Amino acid sequence: MEFCINSARDSVSSFNCILFDLDDTLYPSSTGIAQAVKKNIDDFLVEKCGFPEDKASSLRVELFKTYGSTLAGLRALGYETDADDYHAFVHGRLPYDVIQQDHPLRNLLRSITQRKIIFTNSDRIHAVKVLKRLGLEDCFDQIICFETLNPNLPKSSRPDEFPVVLKPSPEAMKIALEVADVDPCRTLHGPLTSGSS
C-alpha cells in the first residue's frame, strides 16, 4: 500500500480512473428510489417467496446485514431465486420518472479527463435506465454491475458453490479492477457501499 501512496504522490496526475457508485450517489436520495426499492423487495419476499407481510421488512434488513443483499441472503438460505427475475421485480417497477436530467453534473463529468466507470451492485438494465434519465449515458466509459461480478450465477446452486459477489467485498473489488483493466494505485473510488437491495 505504501508503494501506491508514494506512486500517486510522485506522479503528475495522481489518478487516471475514477469509480463512481450509482444509486443515491449520482442522483439525490430525496428522489425516493431507495425507498421504492425497499418496498419492492418487501413485496418480492411476500409475493414470490411466501413470507408473511408483517415480517418482510425485518427479514429484508436482516438478509442485507448478514449477506450484503436480500438476493444473496435468499440464495444462501437455499431459495432458488433467479437474479434476473429478482432484479426485474425489484427494479422493473421503480418510478424512474422521478429522476431528472442533471445538466450541471453532466458538465462536471464531461470536464473530468480521467476514465470514469460506474461500479454498482445493481443490474445493468437498472444502471442504464438511471444514466439515461440523468442524461449521463455517454459520460462513462464502462458499467461494472451485478452481471459483471456474477457472470455465471446459475438459477439454483448450493450457496458455497456460487455465492453472490457484491461490493464492498474484496472479491468484488478485485473483479472490478481486473475487468476495468486499471491500476489500483491510480484508481479513485468513493465509499463502496452495497446499496439497499
Side-chain angles (χ1 to χ4, degrees):
M1 184 63 170
E2 186 177 325
F3 172 76
C4 290
I5 293 168
N6 291 336
S7 295
R9 266 196 217 123
D10 296 339
S11 65
V12 174
S13 175
S14 298
F15 303 103
N16 59 18
C17 182
I18 305 172
L19 299 180
F20 288 84
D21 195 2
L22 178 71
D23 296 303
D24 290 342
T25 300
L26 293 183
Y27 61 87
S29 60
S30 61
T31 62
I33 291 290
Q35 288 306 108
V37 166
K38 290 174 184 175
K39 167 80 169 73
N40 290 347
I41 293 170
D42 290 352
D43 290 347
F44 184 89
L45 290 170
V46 173
E47 295 174 30
K48 301 294 185 179
C49 301
F51 289 104
E53 194 170 340
D54 62 338
K55 304 283 187 208
S57 290
S58 59
L59 177 61
R60 172 182 43 80
V61 170
E62 187 59 36
L63 292 174
F64 177 77
K65 285 181 181 176
T66 305
Y67 299 99
S69 80
T70 304
L71 173 62
L74 287 171
R75 291 180 63 89
L77 294 175
Y79 286 85
E80 293 184 3
T81 307
D82 180 73
D84 292 337
D85 293 344
Y86 175 83
H87 288 124
F89 190 101
V90 170
H91 294 136
R93 306 183 320 169
L94 290 176
Y96 287 104
D97 59 322
V98 299
I99 301 174
Q100 302 299 315
Q101 287 199 358
D102 191 332
H103 298 292
L105 178 57
R106 178 179 172 77
N107 292 336
L108 175 65
L109 288 168
R110 302 286 287 170
S111 73
I112 296 171
T113 58
Q114 288 86 353
R115 192 168 164 220
K116 296 171 286 296
I117 298 173
I118 293 292
F119 184 24
T120 179
N121 281 335
S122 296
D123 65 306
R124 181 170 301 281
I125 292 171
H126 172 72
V128 169
K129 282 183 182 178
V130 168
L131 292 175
K132 282 184 179 177
R133 291 293 307 170
L134 288 166
L136 305 177
E137 64 268 31
D138 61 343
C139 292
F140 295 92
D141 301 290
Q142 191 173 5
I143 297 173
I144 297 173
C145 58
F146 182 88
E147 293 90 343
T148 314
L149 300 175
N150 301 278
N152 301 309
L153 192 67
K155 183 169 182 169
S156 63
S157 63
R158 291 194 343 251
D160 57 334
E161 283 183 319
F162 295 98
V164 174
V165 177
L166 300 168
K167 63 182 181 127
S169 74
E171 180 65 19
M173 194 65 193
K174 180 181 175 206
I175 292 169
L177 293 171
E178 287 175 1
V179 167
D181 192 24
V182 295
D183 177 354
C185 297
R186 308 269 326 269
T187 301
L188 178 66
H189 58 80
L192 297 176
T193 60
S194 56
S196 60
S197 58

